[in-house]
Amino acid sequence: MQKTRPLLILYATETGNALDAAERLGREAERRGCPVRVLSLDEFDPSSLPYEKFVIFVVSTTGQGDTPNPMKAFWTFLLQRSLGQQWLENTRYAVFGLGDSGYQKYNFVAKKLDKRLADLGGTAIIEKGLGDDQHPSGYEGALDPWMSSLWTMLYNKKPLLFPKGVDISVSEIKTLHPPKVDITYFDSREVYSRSSTEIDLKSFEKEIVTSRSMLSGKSSSDKSKPDCFLKMVKNHPISRPDCGKDVRHFEFEALSSTINYEVGDVVEILPGQSPEAIDAFIKRCNLNPESYIIVRHRNKDDFLEDGVTNVPINLKRFIELTMDIASASPRRYFFEVMSFFASAQHEKERLEYFASPEGRDDLYQYNQKERRTVLEVLEDFPSVNMPFEWLVQLIPPLKTRAFSISSSILVHPNQVHLTVSIVSWTTPFKRKRSGLCSSWLASLDPNQRVCIPAWFHKGALPAPKPSLPLILIGPGTGCAPFRGFVEERALMESKAVPTSPILFFFGCRNEQNDFLYKDFWALHSQKGKVLSEEKGGGFYVAFSRDQPQKVYVQDKMREQSAKVWDLLSRGAAVYVAGSSNNMPSDVLAAFEDIVAEEGGVSREAAVRWLRILEKGGKYHVEAWA
């Protein structure tokens, strides 16, 4: 009998949601008897795509319609003109996208991938599915019905794919596949441990590389090694106390290797976790904090050859550095697996309900909407005793947090500055929540030597040449990268380097409460300085709450439309940074109005003009939720 070729599921993710959805599709296919391969797009050879009969793509859209990093090389390959319109004539595909309809380019990556696959001759098994974070059940609100239709369509095309049929419910699942990881335990006496309680940088780096490589199942040659370690030297509030928000100016110095970055770059920081939460998790899960472990992924023999990850690591340190136990919410599959290890019947039934299609909305309200943490969920189901292997596999990984750099290294050698809003909110059930990394940074005392792992990389805002005129729009903490732009250009001027003007539109709620870096902008707006009107630029602030009618940055832009058009006409580049909600689209609409009115063209022509500006690398947006 001919062996059925595995169903190929390819995913591209930044936050882990697309991976979660892809793995769920894989599990559901396997439950129906279908062999499956689940791969990240950066692990797949795109030239072999025409040899695949059935392929499912699960892709997220990041930022302002950006392609996730693991998909970039694959997408570049697909854009080759030489591929032709029959390249995928024997391939049937399905695309599911994960996005947020609050963004202007909602699910843009899934839409363009679906179109390109069709252009190359591929046949869609089913209409593309579009998951939306704004849905009451999150992306699963679209995934569940789409997946059900997908299995039906595939079964109709090739019944042999699903020997067990297509209609299988969670309640019918009586057995649990083994976890994807094996853990070997070592007694602390078997492993060399430092006598000093202070962690030196080399040991800390090794722990990070070892633990995070073990968790990912990839060799230590990836980006698990920090670029450097930082220590905080300044923790300064720059918003007024008790104004409803807490914005901090942080300054860091390098402890290890020299810092290297350009203005507009991004730094990622690995946050520390609450020691109390770590201890509570270890106690709840009946773990031995003194033991040492090696985590190995099943079916990844190449991983085992890596010498670094065959070194045991302390169990408690592994949890601290890799497992987000007190910030991120667990995935739906976590509840399904928990149901197999619940000894109390009422807990088992509730967990099975949460994992079922009928319980999806209630789970979303209990879990995601309330942002319940792994530790809180485990404490809500005290009879559950999950093996550590399952916890390692299913608990969301501790992720680095990315921040726009708000300094110039030319002005502050060996330093990096950040402008951070300390995140806090109240859930629908009035529970206080706070952002893990921002709250941790805010709690640090510069007098204490806390080592902060950091990675530097390019963001969406390329460093501009001094000769390039700039139009900057950065309300709130969106001003962060532009602080670096301004101070670097001011330094160039002081060295008699010819510079072009900067026009900057800043916005905040109140002049007295959250006018960030007020004195800094005032200094550089003085006569003859980089932000001065005499130089052809300017600094304009929108205080949205200081008058009965709200005023935003786009309103200030329209007030200065002649100046904006003048700089655009002189080849200025536009940089937009800040909240991803409505601001980027409102700013773009203001530019369209200005180009149409000042340029004397139709609205359609203005839209085309700005699109050309963007394609020419002169319209940049960096936005965050």
Side-chain angles (χ1 to χ4, degrees):
M1 184 176 172
Q2 188 178 3
K3 190 176 179 182
T4 303
R5 187 176 177 88
L7 177 67
L8 178 62
I9 301 174
L10 298 172
Y11 67 90
T13 189
E14 288 284 358
T15 65
N17 282 338
L19 166 61
D20 192 52
E23 288 186 335
R24 184 164 169 232
L25 282 159
R27 286 192 302 272
E28 294 297 334
E30 286 177 336
R31 286 167 178 168
R32 289 157 176 80
C34 178
V36 171
R37 282 188 300 153
V38 181
L39 294 173
S40 174
L41 271 170
D42 58 0
E43 298 173 327
F44 177 72
D45 177 7
S47 66
S48 65
L49 190 58
Y51 306 105
E52 300 293 339
K53 297 299 181 187
F54 299 98
V55 188
I56 301 170
F57 293 89
V58 185
V59 295
S60 62
T61 295
T62 66
Q64 300 298 300
D66 300 325
T67 303
N69 282 322
M71 182 177 167
K72 286 181 177 174
F74 176 85
W75 181 245
T76 300
F77 184 92
L78 282 196
L79 292 179
Q80 294 179 102
R81 291 183 180 179
S82 60
L83 296 182
Q85 295 179 358
Q86 285 81 43
W87 189 61
L88 295 178
E89 60 184 354
N90 297 317
T91 301
R92 296 181 179 272
Y93 71 90
V95 175
F96 186 82
L98 289 84
D100 186 329
S101 58
Y103 284 73
Q104 188 180 8
K105 293 186 176 180
Y106 167 59
N107 261 315
F108 182 70
V109 173
K111 292 173 184 175
K112 71 178 183 181
L113 174 62
D114 181 67
K115 183 178 185 303
R116 184 58 180 159
L117 293 170
D119 290 345
L120 293 171
T123 303
I125 302 163
I126 186 176
E127 177 73 19
K128 63 181 173 292
L130 301 178
D132 186 3
D133 279 351
Q134 300 291 332
H135 188 280
S137 296
Y139 72 83
E140 289 186 328
L143 179 61
D144 285 352
W146 183 85
M147 182 165 54
S148 178
S149 298
L150 174 67
W151 302 146
T152 301
M153 296 294 285
L154 279 170
Y155 185 74
N156 291 338
K157 294 271 189 255
K158 190 173 183 181
L160 287 176
L161 271 177
F162 300 123
K164 297 180 182 179
V166 292
D167 298 319
I168 295 177
S169 67
V170 173
S171 60
E172 294 175 31
I173 301 164
K174 304 299 182 186
T175 58
L176 188 64
H177 286 296
K180 292 182 179 180
V181 300
D182 284 317
I183 297 178
T184 306
Y185 291 84
F186 300 84
D187 188 280
S188 58
R189 290 169 295 185
E190 299 176 56
V191 182
Y192 166 77
S193 60
R194 297 177 304 278
S195 57
S196 170
T197 56
E198 184 176 337
I199 298 174
D200 64 273
L201 293 180
K202 274 294 175 190
S203 298
F204 191 16
E205 179 183 282
K206 188 175 180 181
E207 285 180 332
I208 291 171
V209 171
T210 300
S211 60
R212 295 177 76 80
S213 298
M214 279 185 188
L215 185 73
S216 67
K218 296 178 182 178
S219 72
S220 59
S221 60
D222 70 351
K223 282 292 288 178
S224 54
K225 181 181 177 181
D227 291 330
C228 72
F229 289 94
L230 304 174
K231 68 169 181 177
M232 183 181 286
V233 294
K234 191 169 187 177
N235 180 346
H236 179 60
I238 53 175
S239 56
R240 200 181 78 177
D242 305 320
C243 75
K245 60 169 63 178
D246 180 4
V247 183
R248 304 287 180 101
H249 172 77
F250 297 124
E251 297 183 5
F252 306 89
E253 288 181 354
L255 280 171
S256 52
S257 56
T258 307
I259 297 176
N260 185 28
Y261 65 87
E262 290 185 299
V263 292
D265 285 359
V266 170
V267 63
E268 292 191 12
I269 285 174
L270 182 67
Q273 300 196 75
S274 158
E276 294 78 17
I278 295 291
D279 290 342
F281 174 79
I282 288 172
K283 183 178 180 181
R284 165 63 185 83
C285 299
N286 302 310
L287 302 170
N288 178 7
E290 302 300 322
S291 64
Y292 281 71
I293 59 171
I294 290 178
V295 178
R296 293 187 175 96
H297 286 241
R298 299 175 191 267
N299 306 321
K300 286 208 176 184
D301 295 336
D302 57 325
F303 172 74
L304 303 183
E305 295 172 6
D306 179 45
V308 175
T309 45
N310 275 320
V311 177
I313 185 170
N314 174 257
L315 180 144
K316 183 175 180 179
R317 289 295 286 163
F318 180 85
I319 294 170
E320 289 173 339
L321 294 171
T322 66
M323 300 169 69
D324 193 339
I325 53 99
S327 171
S329 297
R331 311 284 188 182
R332 183 171 170 182
Y333 188 44
F334 188 79
F335 293 86
E336 182 181 326
V337 174
M338 281 178 73
S339 70
F340 284 89
F341 298 101
S343 57
Q345 187 61 28
H346 70 284
E347 289 184 13
K348 184 179 183 69
E349 290 173 357
R350 190 179 180 209
L351 289 164
E352 287 176 343
Y353 170 69
F354 274 160
S356 71
E358 297 76 25
R360 183 192 68 207
D361 291 351
D362 286 339
L363 174 62
Y364 191 78
Q365 295 300 319
Y366 164 81
N367 188 41
Q368 290 98 316
K369 289 287 278 187
E370 281 296 298
R371 285 291 295 270
R372 268 183 228 277
T373 68
V374 168
L375 181 56
E376 289 171 335
V377 169
L378 288 169
E379 289 174 341
D380 280 351
F381 295 90
S383 81
V384 172
N385 187 18
M386 285 176 76
F388 190 48
E389 286 82 354
W390 276 112
L391 293 168
V392 169
Q393 178 181 325
L394 296 180
I395 288 176
L398 181 65
K399 296 182 181 298
T400 57
R401 269 58 169 183
F403 298 96
S404 296
I405 294 172
S406 58
S407 56
S408 163
I409 200 164
L410 301 180
V411 181
H412 307 282
N414 211 38
Q415 281 201 350
V416 59
H417 298 178
L418 300 180
T419 309
V420 178
S421 180
I422 312 307
V423 180
S424 63
W425 72 97
T426 304
T427 71
F429 287 108
K430 309 301 179 189
R431 289 149 45 97
K432 299 289 185 183
R433 306 268 89 170
S434 59
L436 173 62
C437 192
S438 63
S439 299
W440 177 69
L441 289 173
S443 72
L444 296 182
D445 181 351
N447 294 317
Q448 295 177 332
R449 190 179 182 272
V450 176
C451 301
I452 303 170
W455 292 257
F456 292 85
H457 62 82
K458 296 296 172 191
L461 307 177
K465 293 180 180 178
S467 58
L468 181 65
L470 300 177
I471 301 173
L472 312 177
I473 299 93
T477 54
C479 72
F482 305 141
R483 178 178 179 269
F485 281 28
V486 169
E487 66 178 12
E488 183 159 299
R489 191 157 288 193
L491 179 67
M492 295 292 104
E493 279 207 339
S494 71
K495 294 183 176 181
V497 175
T499 61
S500 289
I502 297 178
L503 186 59
F504 182 26
F505 296 93
F506 174 70
C508 61
R509 290 185 176 182
N510 311 101
E511 182 173 6
Q512 299 303 318
N513 289 344
D514 56 343
F515 190 174
L516 309 180
Y517 301 116
K518 178 180 179 179
D519 294 339
F520 176 85
W521 308 124
L523 172 66
H524 291 288
S525 299
Q526 291 174 6
K527 187 174 182 179
K529 302 276 188 177
V530 290
L531 288 174
S532 67
E533 295 188 11
E534 290 82 4
K535 280 275 295 181
F539 177 70
Y540 302 97
V541 191
F543 301 113
S544 63
R545 306 292 200 276
D546 276 352
Q547 60 283 313
Q549 186 176 353
K550 292 179 180 177
V551 177
Y552 297 108
V553 283
Q554 59 267 26
D555 301 313
K556 290 294 179 181
M557 290 169 60
R558 290 185 174 96
E559 287 178 12
Q560 303 297 326
S561 60
K563 187 167 284 191
V564 170
W565 176 244
D566 176 60
L567 279 189
L568 286 174
S569 303
R570 291 161 57 187
V574 174
Y575 287 77
V576 183
S579 169
S580 62
N581 288 339
N582 298 317
M583 186 273 294
S585 56
D586 289 344
V587 165
L588 180 60
F591 272 116
E592 290 168 356
D593 290 344
I594 291 167
V595 172
E597 183 179 333
E598 298 291 337
V601 297
S602 68
R603 181 68 178 230
E604 292 74 19
V607 170
R608 288 195 300 272
W609 194 90
L610 286 162
R611 201 168 289 150
I612 292 169
L613 193 72
E614 183 180 4
K615 286 185 177 179
K618 285 193 170 184
Y619 195 107
H620 310 281
V621 179
E622 186 162 84
W624 49 85

